[in-house]
């Protein structure tokens, strides 16, 4: 299954300023498979793979000292592989289990920069935020997300359709609108977790897809119980379980009072931070002042919360997979929460940081804002075929952006006074305004 991140990994390999690589990402998004089975096998003559999970022997390699040459010699013996700079990829997996291995990356960069070394871990984000040995400035970082829609299309054999979406080929896609929309509905149910997609490709059984998704959710919950501070586990579970209800609200701003009456942010901030660092959820922060850079004006205590994967969201919410057969009902479930989740995933998979706009007097809300530096682009996501959006029109009157985009399930592409109407499945193709 092709992953777009492979191109970035190849660029990392070729870079003259290459540093040891940390590949971040939530559990089961495919980090190990991408490094081992795609990147190492296709781009290197050999690899030296080590997993620290339950592996005391591997951990002992880093206990004596952090001298890179001694470590490489020990890894050669352990992996029974000759490690040659530029020809061998050293992969250290589940590195959160071995803090000294993480600390060694600084020495690899400073003392032996010719070695190619990449590390990953299922809870690496949590480890990096609590461990003082993080090699600041001495590593490159990437984040791997679940498969986006075009990656999913490639996996199920629709290569040309995937290319059309990536290229923003509106005319071609609209001519195939119903077929693309049916595949999009399938993606809403299957999602982008590689194990789930692989099973769907091999078996084509949606019922089995749900079973695997439920197992992944169980694995996440097991991680909460095993790795999170004991006092935070009940709070983490409360936040995790309330996500579908939060996203289904008319005003999707995350409210701690939804967890239980009287709940306060201070009680749950550490639990929410743990989920965020684990890559399970992402905060999309609110802005009321629309000026670049948006990060400067984003509010810390007002945000929407999105789950890592749309398929897991459906499984967590108990969504009946049979809804895929019922016209546009899937797109309007939970007040369009799945459609918003989809657009969010398409953005973050490209490395974009979405925000949302809301002000109370007068009431205005826009689902997403993207900051392209020279342009802040407002994007509205409409569930179903209803494209009416008073808030977006009012936003345009107030802020006067050069353009705005409205996504829906309609098969239309038109521009009216700077407002561009696009089919929902083209969210991946949204980018900065091209130079005239």
């Amino acid at each position: 299954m092709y992953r777009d991140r492979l191109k970035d990994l190849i660029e990392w390999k070729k870079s003259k300023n290459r540093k040891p690589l940390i590949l971040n990402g939530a559990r089961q998004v495919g980090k190990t498979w991408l490094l081992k089975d795609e990147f190492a096998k296709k781009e290197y003559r050999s690899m030296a793979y080590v997993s620290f999970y339950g592996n005391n022997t591997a951990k002992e390699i880093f206990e004596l000292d952090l001298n890179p040459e001694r470590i490489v010699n020990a890894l050669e013996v352990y992996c029974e592989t000759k490690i040659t700079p530029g020809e061998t990829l050293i992969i250290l997996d589940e590195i959160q289990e071995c803090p000294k291995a993480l600390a060694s990356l600084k020495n690899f960069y400073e003392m032996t920069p010719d070695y190619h070394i990449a590390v990953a871990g299922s809870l690496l984000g949590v480890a990096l935020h609590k461990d003082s040995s993080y090699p600041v400035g001495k590593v490159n970082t990437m984040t791997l997300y679940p498969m986006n829609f075009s990656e999913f299309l490639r996996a199920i054999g629709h290569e040309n359709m995937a290319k059309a979406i990536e290229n923003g080929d509106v005319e071609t896609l609209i001519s195939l609108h119903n077929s693309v929309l049916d595949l999009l509905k399938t993606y809403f149910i299957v999602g982008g977790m590689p194990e789930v997609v692989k099973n769907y490709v091999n078996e084509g059984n949606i019922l089995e897809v749900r079973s695997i998704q439920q197992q992944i959710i169980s694995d996440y919950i097991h991680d909460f119980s095993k790795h999170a501070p004991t006092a935070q586990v009940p709070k983490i579970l409360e936040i995790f379980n309330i996500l579908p209800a939060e996203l289904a609200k008319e005003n999707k701003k995350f409210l701690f009072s939804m967890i239980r009456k009287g709940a306060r942010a201070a009680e749950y901030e550490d639990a929410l931070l743990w989920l965020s660092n684990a890559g399970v959820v992402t905060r999309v922060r609110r802005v009321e002042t629309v000026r670049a850079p948006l990060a400067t004006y984003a509010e810390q205590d007002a945000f929407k919360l999105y789950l890592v994967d749309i398929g897991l969201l459906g499984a967590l919410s108990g969504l009946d997979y049979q809804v895929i057969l019922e016209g546009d009902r899937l797109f309007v479930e939970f007040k369009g929460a799945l459609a918003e989740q989809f657009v969010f995933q398409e953005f973050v998979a490209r490395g974009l940081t979405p925000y949302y706009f809301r002000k109370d007097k007068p009431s205005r809300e826009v689902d997403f804002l993207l900051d392209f530096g020279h342009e802040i682009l407002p994007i509205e996501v409409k569930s179903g075929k209803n494209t009416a959006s008073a808030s977006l029109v009012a936003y345009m009157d107030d802020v006067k952006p050069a353009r705005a985009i409205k996504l829906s399930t309609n098969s239309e592409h038109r521009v009216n006074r700077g407002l561009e109407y696009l089919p929902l499945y083209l969210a991946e193709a949204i980018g900065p305004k091209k130079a005239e």
Side-chain angles (χ1 to χ4, degrees), residues 9 12-14 18 35 38-47 84 86-90 116-117:
L9 291 172
W12 170 79
K13 178 189 177 185
K14 295 177 179 178
R18 186 193 63 257
L35 288 175
E38 285 293 290
F39 186 43
K41 288 184 179 179
K42 291 182 178 178
E43 300 296 327
Y44 291 87
R45 290 189 176 182
S46 61
M47 72 172 146
T84 305
E87 297 182 2
T88 306
L89 179 63
I90 302 170
H116 292 213
I117 180 167

Side-chain angles (χ1 to χ4, degrees), residues 375-387:
E375 174 191 30
I376 295 175
L377 178 63
I379 299 149
E380 185 77 1
V381 182
K382 302 305 293 183
S383 55
K385 297 183 182 299
N386 177 18
T387 59

Side-chain angles (χ1 to χ4, degrees), residues 9-21:
L9 291 172
I10 293 171
E11 288 301 312
W12 170 79
K13 178 189 177 185
K14 295 177 179 178
S15 174
K16 295 179 180 179
N17 301 313
R18 186 193 63 257
K19 303 174 183 178
L21 175 68

Side-chain angles (χ1 to χ4, degrees), residues 24-312:
N24 290 308
R27 184 195 239 279
Q28 298 192 35
V29 294
K31 300 183 295 296
T32 301
W33 175 86
L34 180 59
L35 288 175
K36 285 181 63 180
D37 297 331
E38 285 293 290
F39 186 43
K41 288 184 179 179
K42 291 182 178 178
E43 300 296 327
Y44 291 87
R45 290 189 176 182
S46 61
M47 72 172 146
Y49 174 80
V50 175
S51 173
F52 292 107
Y53 185 77
N55 189 342
N56 290 328
T57 301
K59 294 175 187 177
E60 288 171 359
I61 293 174
F62 294 83
E63 290 296 325
L64 182 61
D65 59 49
L66 299 183
N67 181 282
E69 291 292 0
R70 183 199 61 78
I71 291 171
V72 167
N73 291 337
L75 289 175
E76 286 184 329
V77 174
Y78 176 83
C79 298
E80 298 184 346
T81 301
K82 174 65 177 174
I83 297 176
T84 305
E87 297 182 2
T88 306
L89 179 63
I90 302 170
I91 303 173
L92 304 181
D93 204 359
E94 302 295 352
I95 197 171
Q96 77 279 355
E97 302 285 337
C98 186
K100 289 194 174 180
L102 183 63
S104 74
L105 300 182
K106 177 178 182 292
N107 287 1
F108 270 98
Y109 170 66
E110 293 180 343
M111 301 167 63
T112 55
D114 290 338
Y115 286 112
H116 292 213
I117 180 167
V119 309
S122 59
L123 287 172
L124 184 52
V126 173
L128 296 186
H129 283 79
K130 71 178 182 181
D131 199 296
S132 60
S133 60
Y134 182 69
V136 177
K138 310 300 180 182
V139 293
N140 298 130
T141 61
M142 292 182 196
T143 301
L144 185 65
Y145 296 96
M147 300 171 73
N148 66 8
F149 186 43
S150 64
E151 289 176 315
F152 173 77
L153 288 173
R154 282 194 170 88
I156 62 174
H158 291 276
E159 172 72 24
N160 289 335
M161 192 176 289
K163 288 181 179 178
I165 286 175
E166 290 170 342
N167 296 333
D169 187 349
V170 183
E171 290 185 6
T172 296
L173 291 166
I174 286 180
S175 71
L176 301 168
H177 179 74
N178 289 333
S179 296
V180 185
L181 211 59
D182 283 344
L183 291 168
L184 182 61
K185 288 195 289 186
T186 303
Y187 177 75
F188 272 34
I189 298 294
V190 176
M193 300 302 275
E195 182 185 358
V196 180
V197 175
K198 182 178 180 181
N199 178 269
Y200 179 73
V201 170
N202 293 336
E203 306 296 333
N205 187 331
I206 294 292
L207 185 59
E208 193 166 340
V209 159
R210 271 291 184 255
S211 176
I212 297 171
Q213 289 167 336
Q214 293 291 356
Q215 183 58 55
I216 292 174
I217 290 171
S218 295
D219 291 343
Y220 277 12
I221 291 172
H222 178 263
D223 281 347
F224 305 160
S225 301
K226 182 178 179 181
H227 297 286
T230 303
Q232 297 301 325
V233 172
K235 298 174 184 178
I236 289 171
L237 288 170
E238 286 180 304
I239 295 173
F240 187 66
N241 290 327
I242 202 69
L243 281 174
E246 282 280 349
L247 281 168
K249 302 198 314 288
E250 200 68 51
N251 173 10
K252 294 181 174 65
K253 174 188 172 183
F254 187 83
L255 299 174
F256 290 94
S257 59
M258 284 284 290
I259 299 173
R260 60 173 174 79
K261 187 176 181 179
R264 297 178 178 275
E267 296 177 67
Y268 287 89
E269 179 58 35
D270 288 346
L272 185 54
L273 183 61
W274 196 95
L275 279 170
S276 178
N277 289 342
V280 177
V281 301
T282 300
R283 302 187 217 206
V284 171
R285 300 192 183 277
R286 183 176 78 178
V287 294
E288 189 171 337
T289 302
V290 186
R291 293 176 188 163
L294 286 180
T296 303
Y297 298 94
E299 299 176 38
Q300 297 302 305
D301 58 352
F303 52 88
K304 299 178 183 179
L305 211 55
Y306 291 89
L307 194 61
V308 63
D309 176 63
I310 192 170
L312 295 186

